[in-house]
Amino acid sequence: MRLRNKPWASEYIAEHPKYVIPNPQEQKGNWHKLFGNHHPIHIEVGTGKGQFIVEMAKRNPNINYIGIELYQSVIVSALQKLEEEKLPNLKLLNVNARDLTEIFAPSEVERVYLNFSDPWPKKRHEKRRLTHKSFLTIFENILVEGGEIHLKTDNQGLFEYSLKSFSEYGLLLTFVSLDLHNSDFEGNIMTEYEEKFSRKGQRIYRCEVKFR
C-alpha cells in the first residue's frame, strides 16, 4: 500500500488528544477509567481509515472500541470520522502493535479484530504478519481468558497461513467462511478495502478463533 504523505497529520493528531490518546502507556490497566465505565474493550489492530470501527462503535454503545494504527497519514482519516460522529465509546492510538503489552494490562481486552492486514507475502517478512506466533503471544497477554481474534482478509495465502498459525498455537476455531459475502453470515460491517475488493468480485475470507 502506497501511503499519501500528509504533512499536517502530526499536528492534527496532537490537536485532538480526546480522540487519539497521547502517551497511551499511562492508561495501562486503567482504560475503564478513561471510558468512564466497565464495558468490554475490543481493539482493531490496523484500523486504517476507520470505517469498520466507527460503525461498530455506533452499533454497539455498550462496548468500548480502540483503533490501533501505525501510520499518521492513515489514522487522520479515522480521526476525522470520529470527530464528526463524536462517539464516547471509541478511542484511537497511533502506535505499533508490537507495543500493545506496554499499553494494555493482562486480561484488559476481550476481542481483537484483524481486518485486511498486510499479508507480507515474502517468507523473510513472515514475522511481520499479525497472525505470526509472536503477535499471537502479545494478543494472548492482553486478552481475557477465552478472548477472541476475528480475522477478515481477501488474501487466500494469508488466510491459510493464519489458520495454520492459529492451530499450531492451540487456538480454537469457532467460525470460518471461505466466501463471506456469499454466506448466510449476518451483521457484517465492511471496511473500505472490503468494499473495494468485493466490487471487483474478490472472495472475502473470515474466521473467529478463541484462546483456550
Side-chain angles (χ1 to χ4, degrees):
M1 178 179 67
R2 177 174 294 178
L3 298 178
R4 181 178 298 173
N5 183 42
K6 298 177 181 177
W8 49 270
S10 180
E11 182 177 354
Y12 184 67
I13 291 168
E15 291 172 351
H16 295 83
K18 178 181 177 181
Y19 298 129
V20 183
I21 307 302
N23 305 312
Q25 296 87 349
E26 297 176 1
Q27 306 298 331
K28 182 176 180 178
N30 292 298
W31 285 98
H32 66 283
K33 292 182 181 179
L34 185 69
F35 282 106
N37 58 60
H38 286 273
H39 296 163
I41 294 176
H42 294 185
I43 70 173
E44 183 185 21
V45 180
T47 208
K49 296 180 179 179
Q51 179 170 296
F52 172 85
I53 202 163
V54 166
E55 187 60 30
M56 288 292 283
K58 287 169 65 176
R59 294 192 189 188
N60 303 286
N62 292 326
I63 297 175
N64 295 324
Y65 291 91
I66 299 176
I68 314 293
E69 177 56 51
L70 177 61
Y71 299 105
Q72 290 186 334
S73 292
V74 178
I75 200 172
V76 288
S77 295
L79 172 55
Q80 289 171 331
K81 291 182 177 70
L82 178 52
E83 187 181 14
E84 181 177 336
E85 298 288 348
K86 295 180 169 56
L87 298 166
N89 62 326
L90 174 57
K91 305 297 181 185
L92 301 172
L93 303 182
N94 181 211
V95 298
N96 192 312
R98 295 193 181 279
D99 298 329
L100 291 181
T101 54
E102 299 176 14
I103 294 168
F104 298 102
S107 302
E108 198 167 18
V109 176
E110 289 203 7
R111 183 178 297 171
V112 173
Y113 292 100
L114 303 176
N115 292 317
F116 299 87
S117 307
D118 193 325
W120 293 106
K122 295 181 180 180
K123 180 65 177 177
R124 68 176 184 270
H125 293 152
E126 178 184 359
K127 290 184 178 180
R128 298 185 184 183
R129 299 171 195 162
L130 290 176
T131 52
H132 183 267
K133 61 182 179 181
S134 60
F135 281 106
L136 297 184
T137 299
I138 292 172
F139 300 148
E140 182 179 26
N141 183 282
I142 65 173
L143 282 166
V144 299
E145 184 176 354
E148 300 177 346
I149 297 175
H150 291 194
L151 168 72
K152 277 199 293 187
T153 182
D154 67 306
N155 189 289
Q156 183 178 350
L158 177 63
F159 192 69
E160 292 174 349
Y161 170 86
S162 299
L163 291 179
K164 183 173 182 290
S165 182
F166 292 150
S167 176
E168 290 176 349
Y169 201 86
L171 294 173
L172 177 65
L173 181 66
T174 59
F175 174 88
V176 64
S177 175
L178 302 180
D179 192 356
L180 181 62
H181 291 184
N182 288 312
S183 72
D184 58 1
F185 182 81
E186 297 180 356
N188 181 53
I189 294 176
M190 290 198 285
T191 72
E192 291 88 348
Y193 277 126
E194 188 171 356
E195 289 181 343
K196 175 183 176 181
F197 295 143
S198 62
R199 281 196 299 266
K200 295 180 178 180
Q202 292 179 233
R203 183 181 295 188
I204 305 300
Y205 302 89
R206 184 180 186 277
C207 72
E208 299 175 11
V209 292
K210 179 184 294 187
F211 287 90
R212 301 173 189 265

